[in-house]
Amino acid sequence: MDLGNSMNARETHITGQMQKIDLVEIICNLVRNLSSNPSNARVMSLVILILAKMLKCSPSHVTAVALKSNVFDLSLKTNSFDVGGTSSSSDSWLLSGRLAKMLFLDSEQNDSSYPLSISVLELTEQLIEAGVENDVVLALIVFSQHILVNHEYWKYKARHVRWEVTLKVLEVLKKCIVSVPRSQKMGEIIWDMLLCDSSIHNTLFRVICRTAESLEKLYVSRLWEPTEIQGLEAAICSVLDILSIMLSDFSKDFSSGSTVFHQAMMSSTKKPCPIVTSMISLISHFRNPEIQVGATRLLSMLCIIGDHSPPYLFGTSCFGPEDKQIADFRRSVYNVLSEQFLWNENLFVAVLKLLTSAARYQPAFLISVLDDKGKAEVLEALLQFAKRSDDLINSNPRVWLNVLNFLQALWQGASQYTDILKQLRSSGRLWKELSKYINIIAKTKPFSFQTLYKMEAQSLAYKYQCQAVILEIVACDMFLQRKLQLLNQKPDLSKEGIENGGFSGNVAKELCHFKDILSLSCDQSILGDLIQSSMSFDYDNEVTLRAKIAASLFAVHVMGKLATGDAGSLSVSLSKKIHVMSKKLSALPAFTELAAQYSQQGYSGGKELDLLILSDLYYHLQGELEGRKIESGPYKELSYYLLDSDFLQSYRSKSSEDLFSPADHVYLFNTLQIKTDMGLDLWKYSQWKPFESIGERMLICIQEANLMLLLSSSKLSALRAVVSVLSLNQEESTEDKSPTKREMSKQLNPSWIDHICRCFHSTLKSLSPVFYSSETILHFLAAQVELLLSLLKSNYKMIPINKHLLVLETSALGLRMLNDFIPSVAAVQRTMKLLLMLLLSSLECISFNLHSDNIGITEVRNTCLRLLPVLCNCLGNSENYALSLTVIDLMIKHCLVPNTWFPILQKHLQIQLLIQKLRDKDSLNLVPIILKFLLTLSHVKEGAEMLLISGFFPSLKLLFEKPPQHIWGLGLSVITSMIHSLGESSTYLDFIDSVINYFFKEKVYLISFYLNNPPVDFASDDRPDRKRARSQKRQTTLSSLKETENTLVLICVLAKNHRSSWVKAMKETDSQLRERSIHLLAFFSQATSPLLCPPLLKEEIDSYRNPSFVRSRNAWFALSALGCVPHSRSFSDISNKTTALILEDQSTENTTGGGSSTYFADTVGVQIYKISFLLLKYLLLEAKGAAKRAEELGFVDLAHFPELPMPEILHGLQNQAIAIVTEICDANKIKLIQPEIQSLCLLLLQIMEMSLYLELCVSQICGIRPVLGHVEGFSKEVKLLIKATEKHAFLKASMTELKRIMSLVFPHLSKAERFS
């Protein structure tokens, strides 16, 4: 230190000149000289202690001088951080053993309060606290380890000094642990030493491996002095604290480096007693509450370690104490919880956290503690304490939060705590207290953060966390009661079955309090108040910004001081950080520009100019802190750099005040560490005293930012809990149609959407894409969207169209703003995903309502048109690409007309990038979504042309080389739609020819494969075993049937719209194509044996659980009910149950088949008839083509006439159509037939009509006359059909056409028999 500083020495005048005397250098030289003589230990102790005090006052200066003078005679060539170093330090005084010998001699002779060991440890502690990282500090840490392990074996002249040394070395150890996250070089070395050195572990364990009884005996022992007992207990507290910190930081780290430590902690063979046993006993040591608190905290961490430990390492024996130990522990817990007054709040909270930890991670241990042969004293004490919730809510919400955390842990592990929960549920007082608290916090008025005091803000944060936990408890109980209700609906369940589900006794009695839960969670006023209070986001970005400005102001001030060589009492680590910032700042173009401007004004360059710029920057930042914004220019850019630096970020750490708090993941600034690194307490004694307000103001601003973060995170947890309850509420209301659940659905008020959207807009305003935006805002936005999404899903039928418009506008605003953020931020991705899901849900509701009501259709379309560019921009985000494209597809398909949406997509959609993803191997999961969108786009002629120009077909061909599953049909659909949209213009003939050439020549094997689905074999061998073998091959899937449908659609479009190209290209293969089509049609016509088609996909399994919508017992609907089952069943088992179902009398009541008919089975039946329709359509097109050719030639060329199905095949399809339509119409005489059933009836009548046309063609070409028996039977069935369809107007046109073709097929029938 220089002359004039508070610690410097004297002035001397030699020859009229004044010299500077550096006391630090003198002290360092003295240490070096004294180190050669062990007898100087006492003087050495005082000198080193003085050096430690100096180090605290001026860390940077003292460290530099000490290193320069090599005070510990450590070889400066040695670098412990360089692996493979070869230099030797054997001559070092510190490492050679001379210092250790000096310490040993000093302990025997020194009876003063300044032992050399304590002085060396004090110096080590100060160096670690100052953030010094070099070989000297590392060597001192290693030497401290030597002291820790060996000091208990030294001889002491004064016995209490032993414990003073113990406490000091433990302080150093704790400093090492705390410094690890901030130490870039030594952190890993320190942790390896602490976690892997068994000698350290054994030393620490010897201190704490004691019982409460052994400590009590010391108080009556003549061998222990009171000062020694106090030292021992203080050491126990210190070790407990150290082990808790180590376990909290590495509770789940079981790598090879940390296994040694964890094994030692969890060992059940530790002597004189295991750690767990010792902690259980020490909790009963009421003579020293600090030991109780430390033991309780450590035992809480051991519960977590025991759960996350590999079973083969530790097992569960360590948490299986004896009955007496459990009884003592239970009694101690009861004594703590039953206190009427919180004489020791820390102990009370620590016990609650221990119970919570045990409930989550060691259920067997907790049950043994709570269950005392039918008694439950601990629970009774807790319930009695809960009655004081009225006082706790306002006076001490932190304690109440820990009580609730324990209750929540019990409910979350309900299957293991059946009896405990039964007792808690039986306490009506508990639910009343919970509901009362919800009402109180729900009616909390909005607040301004600036009007809150520190204690008020902390209290409010705890209140929001309490609300979150209570709502989570309610959600858990609702879920459990729902399961109980399901069990109660099954009276045939055995008692054992109920117990295996986690519940015992009479289930109905367990439901007695469910009404209270429903009233708490479903009451409109309560839910409304909860939404009102939790939705508003009170985060003030200015608070965080002020903290950053204050930190920048402090940093600039320190930069100026460091430039003059005055580091004051700043730690070495903080000085280095700011020095690096200063270098980067001076290298910025803006700083260079300012230097040039100042030079032009006549200022000299060098350090003085830099100091001038820093001074001006300081006053600019000071003005901004006081409300005066910095104008644009170089100083603005420099301020941006400072605000965006990681100066404060390095001091952020996870809040660990409440281990199981809902807001335990919030990261706060460590103000205590910042203050320590600043050395602020010493500023008033140095030349930095005038600037003390700068540091104090920075700390105040940072504390305000911490409170804001804590408060906003707590409110976020409350909002998420509201979302959980509401979501569970809606899930139950959709699953259960009971009056209670219907009432729950009615309670949801659509007007809440207005409030949520307003709050969302308000929160969005506080979001900014620049550096000072908090991630908490994004999380809050996501929670708001989740709540809105939950309301939308539950009430879509009740929500009017104007509310959906508001949701669309809100989503568009959010997406537009979030697109400006860095897409890699996880919170941005999640919020955008939720907004897109909200859009999708709202659009689905809108499309449903638009079909039944045209009110608001113009507003919907205008809003959607404004949304399209935003959604196209969202496609640039790969994380939400699929969802964005799905929303666009739904929007243009159901809510817009092509002439409005196509110009927007043409301008904003990058179609080339979209098609390129079909070729990207990393985007195979996107292929179905892209193809579905392109299918919608291809329905418009301009869209089809866009696809043609963009090279979609070549990309599709590359995709078909190794196509993903179920892509064939989608690709064919897009091509088919393109052909249909492009029309018959000759401009696109090259495209048509390439399509025919590719699919029917290069990929003809795939066409053949899908036309043989299900596999059909018409071999002439009719032996039973051969028939059985062929039947067993008739297995398919619904997806394969849809692929077959898409294949036939393409064939029909080509055969109809581009006949000349089709005939020319298919000249050699058309006969085989017709034969395959006829064989498949013949199989569908028979309908005598089921087709095995099990549900495979999730949506198929879901539809299998739904009842039949056709409700037919005829033809393929009856057979599908038998063959479309999820479990594999042999075909023989199914075929034995039914033969010729179509010939059954349909007039009988359906009493046996209804149970087996499902929605999925009906879907398969409908799919079969769709394929049959397309097969008939293709064959009819071929027949019409041949007829046209015959007209042109003037005769029928039988040699080239296309193959047509036999009349028996056509008759089978006719009979099926008549039977099904007649059955449906008779069953719905007095009620309206649903649209999907109407479509089925029209499809079947079209099948019948086309089959009659083909029958007419066959009879005229081949001269086959109708069989008289068939005509009579057909006539009777048709009469029944006509009679059944008379009352259904939607079938009138189809029946007219059917009658006309029937009169042509059967002209010989008498007039009385004609179908009129």
Side-chain angles (χ1 to χ4, degrees):
M1 279 164 281
D2 297 333
L3 187 65
N5 288 349
S6 60
M7 289 173 50
N8 280 21
R10 305 282 182 262
E11 298 180 3
T12 61
H13 296 270
I14 303 175
T15 64
Q17 295 182 351
M18 185 176 65
Q19 293 183 340
K20 296 181 179 180
I21 302 175
D22 195 336
L23 286 180
V24 179
E25 187 175 352
I26 295 175
I27 294 295
C28 291
N29 290 330
L30 186 59
V31 171
R32 281 181 54 85
N33 295 329
L34 290 172
S35 63
S36 60
N37 188 353
S39 63
N40 295 325
R42 182 170 300 185
V43 179
M44 172 76 75
S45 174
L46 291 173
V47 172
I48 292 179
L49 190 60
I50 293 171
L51 187 63
K53 299 296 184 182
M54 291 180 172
L55 181 65
K56 187 174 183 179
C57 297
S58 184
S60 298
H61 177 70
V62 174
T63 302
V65 175
L67 285 176
K68 182 178 179 181
S69 61
N70 196 12
V71 63
F72 290 110
D73 194 21
L74 184 68
S75 176
L76 295 179
K77 296 180 181 179
T78 304
N79 189 351
S80 302
F81 304 114
D82 293 337
V83 179
T86 59
S87 59
S88 172
S89 59
S90 60
D91 58 341
S92 170
W93 169 69
L94 179 59
L95 301 179
S96 64
R98 282 181 284 166
L99 178 58
K101 184 177 181 180
M102 184 179 290
L103 291 180
F104 180 75
L105 294 174
D106 179 69
S107 66
E108 291 183 336
Q109 302 172 5
N110 193 343
D111 59 352
S112 68
S113 58
Y114 301 105
L116 178 59
S117 55
I118 292 181
S119 298
V120 172
L121 291 172
E122 176 68 23
L123 179 64
T124 305
E125 182 180 0
Q126 293 302 325
L127 286 169
I128 295 172
E129 191 172 287
V132 182
E133 294 187 62
N134 54 38
D135 286 338
V136 173
V137 178
L138 184 59
L140 285 171
I141 291 174
V142 174
F143 189 75
S144 300
Q145 175 194 358
H146 166 78
I147 297 176
L148 173 67
V149 174
N150 296 283
H151 78 281
E152 60 182 303
Y153 304 110
W154 296 348
K155 295 180 181 180
Y156 295 91
K157 191 172 183 180
R159 291 166 57 183
H160 68 276
V161 175
R162 186 265 196 208
W163 294 109
E164 292 178 4
V165 176
T166 302
L167 290 174
K168 178 54 69 173
V169 75
L170 290 176
E171 285 182 24
V172 174
L173 186 61
K174 186 175 180 180
K175 288 290 183 182
C176 289
I177 297 172
V178 173
S179 69
V180 166
R182 299 182 289 114
S183 178
Q184 299 177 351
K185 298 179 180 179
M186 296 192 304
E188 185 176 352
I189 299 174
I190 293 174
W191 269 118
D192 286 342
M193 178 181 71
L194 293 175
L195 297 177
C196 302
D197 193 334
S198 58
S199 64
I200 296 178
H201 306 159
N202 293 332
T203 302
L204 296 178
F205 297 158
R206 280 194 295 271
V207 175
I208 63 170
C209 283
R210 304 170 188 270
T211 61
E213 292 80 1
S214 65
L215 289 179
E216 287 293 333
K217 291 178 181 179
L218 297 181
Y219 283 90
V220 295
S221 173
R222 291 177 298 173
L223 302 178
W224 283 75
E225 298 178 359
T227 54
E228 290 183 83
I229 299 175
Q230 293 175 4
L232 170 62
E233 292 189 345
I236 292 174
C237 293
S238 182
V239 173
L240 292 174
D241 196 21
I242 288 171
L243 294 177
S244 296
I245 295 173
M246 292 177 66
L247 289 179
S248 64
D249 288 342
F250 290 88
S251 59
K252 298 181 182 180
D253 181 12
F254 287 95
S255 60
S256 59
S258 61
T259 302
V260 176
F261 172 67
H262 290 99
Q263 280 184 318
M265 288 294 298
M266 301 302 297
S267 174
S268 58
T269 61
K270 186 67 62 180
K271 299 298 181 180
C273 61
I275 302 294
V276 173
T277 303
S278 178
M279 296 305 102
I280 292 175
S281 178
L282 288 178
I283 292 174
S284 303
H285 187 56
F286 283 89
R287 191 185 289 270
N288 192 329
E290 291 185 6
I291 291 181
Q292 287 182 287
V293 173
T296 306
R297 288 174 178 171
L298 182 57
L299 189 58
S300 300
M301 297 307 306
L302 290 174
C303 289
I304 302 175
I305 295 298
D307 180 66
H308 290 93
S309 303
Y312 65 86
L313 285 179
F314 312 137
T316 58
S317 59
C318 58
F319 275 97
E322 299 176 356
D323 293 341
K324 183 180 182 305
Q325 294 172 338
I326 288 292
D328 293 341
F329 177 72
R330 184 188 303 116
R331 192 179 307 110
S332 299
V333 172
Y334 174 76
N335 290 335
V336 173
L337 297 182
S338 60
E339 290 290 338
Q340 291 296 320
F341 302 98
L342 289 178
W343 61 274
N344 193 327
E345 180 181 325
N346 290 333
L347 178 58
F348 189 91
V349 171
V351 169
L352 287 173
K353 288 181 179 180
L354 171 58
L355 295 177
T356 305
S357 181
R360 292 179 185 271
Y361 304 107
Q362 299 296 333
F365 173 67
L366 179 69
I367 292 173
S368 67
V369 172
L370 297 183
D371 186 15
D372 183 15
K373 298 179 181 180
K375 301 179 182 179
E377 295 180 347
V378 175
L379 283 180
E380 288 295 336
L382 207 58
L383 289 174
Q384 288 296 324
F385 187 84
K387 293 180 180 180
R388 301 166 51 191
S389 61
D390 291 346
D391 298 330
L392 292 174
I393 289 173
N394 296 316
S395 63
N396 202 335
R398 173 173 173 259
V399 175
W400 181 231
L401 173 62
N402 283 277
V403 175
L404 294 173
N405 284 334
F406 173 59
L407 296 177
Q408 182 189 23
L410 293 177
W411 256 272
Q412 289 176 341
S415 60
Q416 296 168 313
Y417 306 121
T418 307
D419 296 332
I420 296 174
L421 290 183
K422 187 183 298 184
Q423 182 174 354
L424 290 174
R425 288 194 185 104
S426 64
S427 173
R429 177 73 179 177
L430 177 63
W431 293 110
K432 290 180 181 179
E433 295 297 334
L434 296 183
S435 60
K436 182 191 301 182
Y437 187 87
I438 289 294
N439 284 322
I440 292 175
I441 194 67
K443 297 182 183 302
T444 302
K445 296 181 180 180
F447 62 89
S448 172
F449 179 78
Q450 302 295 340
T451 62
L452 293 176
Y453 295 105
K454 177 181 178 180
M455 296 304 297
E456 290 178 341
Q458 288 180 338
S459 176
L460 190 57
Y462 281 123
K463 288 180 181 179
Y464 280 124
Q465 292 179 44
C466 290
Q467 174 188 331
V469 178
I470 292 175
L471 291 177
E472 291 293 345
I473 292 174
V474 171
C476 287
D477 203 71
M478 289 176 63
F479 176 79
L480 294 173
Q481 298 308 326
R482 174 61 179 162
K483 296 304 177 185
L484 279 172
Q485 283 186 326
L486 293 176
L487 290 174
N488 204 32
Q489 292 170 3
K490 300 178 181 179
D492 58 335
L493 287 178
S494 64
K495 180 180 178 181
E496 292 77 9
I498 295 177
E499 290 179 346
N500 289 336
F503 303 94
S504 59
N506 189 347
V507 178
K509 292 182 180 179
E510 295 287 336
L511 303 173
C512 60
H513 76 294
F514 194 32
K515 184 177 180 181
D516 295 334
I517 299 298
L518 289 178
S519 64
L520 179 62
S521 62
C522 308
D523 185 80
Q524 185 178 19
S525 61
I526 295 178
L527 278 178
D529 289 339
L530 284 174
I531 292 175
Q532 292 280 345
S533 64
S534 60
M535 279 299 298
S536 59
F537 187 61
D538 306 297
Y539 188 87
D540 189 354
N541 241 339
E542 292 296 323
V543 175
T544 305
L545 180 58
R546 279 178 57 83
K548 288 181 175 289
I549 296 174
S552 301
L553 187 69
F554 166 78
V556 172
H557 167 72
V558 173
M559 288 177 190
K561 287 290 185 179
L562 292 178
T564 61
D566 182 10
S569 58
L570 298 180
S571 69
V572 175
S573 58
L574 181 57
S575 299
K576 285 183 177 180
K577 288 178 185 176
I578 298 181
H579 182 68
V580 171
M581 284 179 60
S582 178
K583 281 189 173 181
K584 294 180 178 179
L585 183 72
S586 60
L588 293 176
F591 197 95
T592 307
E593 180 182 347
L594 286 172
Q597 292 178 4
Y598 280 58
S599 297
Q600 291 177 358
Q601 296 175 6
Y603 292 99
S604 59
K607 183 185 296 185
E608 291 76 10
L609 182 58
D610 293 346
L611 289 173
L612 181 60
I613 295 174
L614 289 175
S615 176
D616 288 351
L617 178 59
Y618 172 86
Y619 288 109
H620 276 86
L621 289 171
Q622 187 178 42
E624 186 163 10
L625 190 61
E626 295 171 356
R628 301 186 300 274
K629 298 297 181 182
I630 302 177
E631 297 180 357
S632 300
Y635 284 109
K636 189 71 172 179
E637 294 180 19
L638 294 180
S639 68
Y640 276 155
Y641 165 76
L642 292 171
L643 294 174
D644 201 21
S645 66
D646 60 350
F647 165 54
L648 278 184
Q649 295 301 319
S650 60
Y651 288 99
R652 289 191 69 184
S653 60
K654 185 177 177 181
S655 174
S656 58
E657 183 178 357
D658 289 290
L659 185 61
F660 303 105
S661 167
D664 64 341
H665 294 296
V666 59
Y667 284 80
L668 304 178
F669 298 106
N670 190 340
T671 54
L672 182 61
Q673 186 61 50
I674 295 174
K675 186 176 181 180
T676 301
D677 284 353
M678 291 168 59
L680 187 61
D681 293 337
L682 298 173
W683 284 24
K684 64 180 65 176
Y685 306 112
S686 68
Q687 293 181 350
W688 287 47
K689 182 176 181 180
F691 312 104
E692 188 178 2
S693 60
I694 299 174
E696 291 176 347
R697 181 162 50 179
M698 181 183 73
L699 289 176
I700 292 173
C701 292
I702 293 175
Q703 288 173 350
E704 291 178 351
N706 278 344
L707 284 176
M708 174 59 71
L709 287 170
L710 180 62
L711 189 58
S712 58
S713 299
S714 301
K715 197 167 188 179
L716 173 61
S717 65
L719 176 57
R720 285 173 171 170
V722 173
V723 173
S724 298
V725 171
L726 196 57
S727 300
L728 187 61
N729 214 340
Q730 304 325 308
E731 289 176 8
E732 293 193 357
S733 65
T734 55
E735 291 178 6
D736 192 348
K737 303 303 179 183
S738 64
T740 304
K741 293 298 189 293
R742 287 197 296 269
E743 184 64 25
M744 290 164 61
S745 181
K746 290 179 183 177
Q747 293 295 339
L748 298 175
N749 192 343
S751 64
W752 295 339
I753 294 178
D754 294 326
H755 177 69
I756 297 174
C757 289
R758 284 196 301 270
C759 292
F760 182 85
H761 291 170
S762 176
T763 308
L764 209 58
K765 290 179 182 178
S766 62
L767 190 64
S768 174
V770 295
F771 44 82
Y772 49 83
S773 289
S774 171
E775 195 171 340
T776 306
I777 304 177
L778 294 170
H779 292 310
F780 209 91
L781 284 171
Q784 289 174 328
V785 178
E786 276 189 281
L787 182 59
L788 196 55
L789 185 60
S790 177
L791 286 176
L792 222 61
K793 287 183 177 179
S794 61
N795 282 357
Y796 70 94
K797 292 183 179 179
M798 299 172 56
I799 298 176
I801 198 73
N802 63 320
K803 304 299 181 186
H804 286 294
L805 285 172
L806 180 60
V807 171
L808 291 182
E809 294 284 0
T810 301
S811 303
L813 183 62
L815 289 172
R816 191 179 295 114
M817 191 161 186
L818 289 175
N819 269 329
D820 296 332
F821 278 75
I822 302 174
S824 60
V825 178
V828 174
Q829 297 288 351
R830 184 172 181 273
T831 308
M832 291 186 68
K833 180 180 180 180
L834 288 170
L835 284 171
L836 290 169
M837 291 173 62
L838 181 65
L839 266 179
L840 189 62
S841 179
S842 185
L843 287 172
E844 288 174 349
C845 299
I846 288 174
S847 60
F848 174 81
N849 292 328
L850 286 180
H851 287 94
S852 57
D853 190 358
N854 289 328
I855 298 177
I857 188 171
T858 303
E859 292 82 357
V860 169
R861 288 177 175 173
N862 291 336
T863 303
C864 290
L865 289 175
R866 291 193 297 269
L867 257 172
L868 270 182
V870 179
L871 292 171
C872 290
N873 195 19
C874 290
L875 291 175
N877 185 346
S878 59
E879 294 291 331
N880 296 315
Y881 191 93
L883 201 53
S884 302
L885 197 60
T886 303
V887 174
I888 295 174
D889 187 25
L890 180 64
M891 185 179 293
I892 65 177
K893 187 184 297 183
H894 297 293
C895 302
L896 296 173
V897 292
N899 61 345
T900 58
W901 60 257
F902 183 79
I904 297 176
L905 290 186
Q906 193 174 26
K907 179 179 179 181
H908 296 278
L909 180 66
Q910 297 180 352
I911 190 67
Q912 290 286 356
L913 296 179
L914 190 70
I915 293 176
Q916 284 178 9
K917 285 190 175 291
L918 297 176
R919 307 181 183 184
D920 187 2
K921 294 181 180 180
D922 296 331
S923 302
L924 291 179
N925 60 320
L926 298 176
V927 169
I929 298 171
I930 294 174
L931 289 178
K932 287 178 182 178
F933 170 73
L934 296 181
L935 178 61
T936 304
L937 191 64
S938 64
H939 289 158
V940 182
K941 183 176 180 180
E942 293 82 358
E945 291 174 343
M946 180 188 292
L947 294 181
L948 188 62
I949 296 172
S950 302
F952 165 72
F953 188 49
S955 298
L956 185 66
K957 290 195 290 185
L958 288 175
L959 182 64
F960 279 168
E961 293 302 318
K962 291 183 180 180
Q965 194 175 10
H966 309 313
I967 292 303
W968 171 262
L970 270 176
L972 288 185
S973 298
V974 179
I975 294 297
T976 304
S977 179
M978 289 176 62
I979 294 172
H980 187 272
S981 299
L982 293 173
E984 302 179 12
S985 173
S986 59
T987 308
Y988 310 109
L989 286 180
D990 291 341
F991 169 65
I992 301 299
D993 292 340
S994 62
V995 169
I996 297 174
N997 180 67
Y998 176 74
F999 285 108
F1000 296 94
K1001 291 186 179 179
E1002 296 182 30
K1003 297 293 181 181
V1004 67
Y1005 63 92
L1006 285 176
I1007 299 292
S1008 301
F1009 172 79
Y1010 285 110
L1011 289 182
N1012 193 31
N1013 178 44
V1016 180
D1017 184 8
F1018 284 89
S1020 59
D1021 192 349
D1022 291 334
R1023 287 180 295 176
D1025 58 336
R1026 293 303 181 96
K1027 284 185 177 180
R1028 189 178 302 111
R1030 291 197 300 269
S1031 299
Q1032 289 175 348
K1033 294 180 181 178
R1034 292 167 189 165
Q1035 300 184 27
T1036 187
T1037 63
L1038 180 58
S1039 299
S1040 297
L1041 291 175
K1042 290 180 179 180
E1043 305 278 10
T1044 301
E1045 177 192 2
N1046 291 323
T1047 303
L1048 287 168
V1049 170
L1050 176 62
I1051 292 174
C1052 292
V1053 169
L1054 290 171
K1056 179 181 179 181
N1057 296 347
H1058 300 278
R1059 187 69 190 174
S1060 58
S1061 300
W1062 173 258
V1063 172
K1064 180 180 178 182
M1066 300 295 295
K1067 189 176 296 184
E1068 298 178 358
T1069 58
D1070 58 349
S1071 178
Q1072 298 176 4
L1073 187 60
R1074 287 191 293 269
E1075 286 181 2
R1076 287 187 176 276
S1077 301
I1078 293 171
H1079 284 177
L1080 186 57
L1081 190 66
F1083 171 73
F1084 291 147
S1085 173
Q1086 290 178 358
T1088 56
S1089 59
L1091 176 66
L1092 298 183
C1093 183
L1096 301 177
L1097 304 178
K1098 180 182 181 299
E1099 55 269 21
E1100 295 175 359
I1101 296 174
D1102 292 340
S1103 66
Y1104 174 80
R1105 295 169 180 159
N1106 295 328
S1108 167
F1109 66 93
V1110 178
R1111 297 184 178 86
S1112 173
R1113 298 179 62 224
N1114 280 293
W1116 282 108
F1117 292 108
L1119 294 173
S1120 297
L1122 296 172
C1124 300
V1125 291
H1127 303 291
S1128 59
R1129 294 159 58 182
S1130 65
F1131 182 81
S1132 59
D1133 293 340
I1134 298 175
S1135 61
N1136 289 336
K1137 296 182 180 180
T1138 178
T1139 55
L1141 291 177
I1142 196 172
L1143 301 178
E1144 290 184 0
D1145 183 9
Q1146 302 301 319
S1147 63
T1148 59
E1149 186 71 21
N1150 182 8
T1151 60
T1152 60
S1156 60
S1157 184
T1158 64
Y1159 195 100
F1160 175 73
D1162 287 351
T1163 303
V1164 173
V1166 171
Q1167 193 64 36
I1168 288 174
Y1169 288 114
K1170 287 181 179 180
I1171 295 174
S1172 301
F1173 168 79
L1174 292 170
L1175 289 169
L1176 289 171
K1177 183 177 181 179
Y1178 165 62
L1179 294 173
L1180 194 59
L1181 287 171
E1182 292 292 290
K1184 287 182 178 179
K1188 184 178 181 181
R1189 189 164 55 252
E1191 290 179 3
E1192 294 174 353
L1193 296 175
F1195 66 93
V1196 177
D1197 185 3
L1198 293 177
H1200 296 90
F1201 201 83
E1203 298 84 350
L1204 295 177
M1206 293 293 290
E1208 290 80 1
I1209 298 175
L1210 302 174
H1211 293 163
L1213 293 172
Q1214 293 167 13
N1215 293 336
Q1216 293 179 39
I1218 292 173
I1220 296 171
V1221 175
T1222 302
E1223 179 188 15
I1224 292 174
C1225 292
D1226 286 340
N1228 296 274
K1229 291 180 179 180
I1230 58 176
K1231 60 182 179 180
L1232 183 66
I1233 298 178
Q1234 296 298 320
E1236 54 185 348
I1237 308 299
Q1238 292 184 13
S1239 300
L1240 173 63
C1241 292
L1242 293 174
L1243 175 67
L1244 292 170
L1245 292 181
Q1246 285 179 304
I1247 290 175
M1248 185 177 178
E1249 181 183 345
M1250 288 192 293
S1251 64
L1252 287 171
Y1253 271 112
L1254 282 175
E1255 185 177 355
L1256 177 63
C1257 183
V1258 170
S1259 63
Q1260 289 182 352
I1261 298 299
C1262 303
I1264 301 176
R1265 295 179 177 274
V1267 180
L1268 184 59
H1270 166 70
V1271 174
E1272 292 177 354
F1274 181 79
S1275 176
K1276 292 179 182 179
E1277 292 177 1
V1278 168
K1279 286 181 180 179
L1280 294 176
L1281 174 66
I1282 293 173
K1283 183 179 180 181
T1285 58
E1286 286 177 350
K1287 296 183 179 180
H1288 299 283
F1290 72 95
L1291 296 175
K1292 184 176 181 180
S1294 297
M1295 290 302 299
T1296 301
E1297 290 296 322
L1298 193 60
K1299 292 174 184 177
R1300 188 176 65 82
I1301 184 59
M1302 285 190 296
S1303 63
L1304 296 176
V1305 176
F1306 307 107
H1308 57 283
L1309 292 178
S1310 61
K1311 186 175 183 180
E1313 294 293 323
R1314 283 180 180 261
F1315 313 109
S1316 57

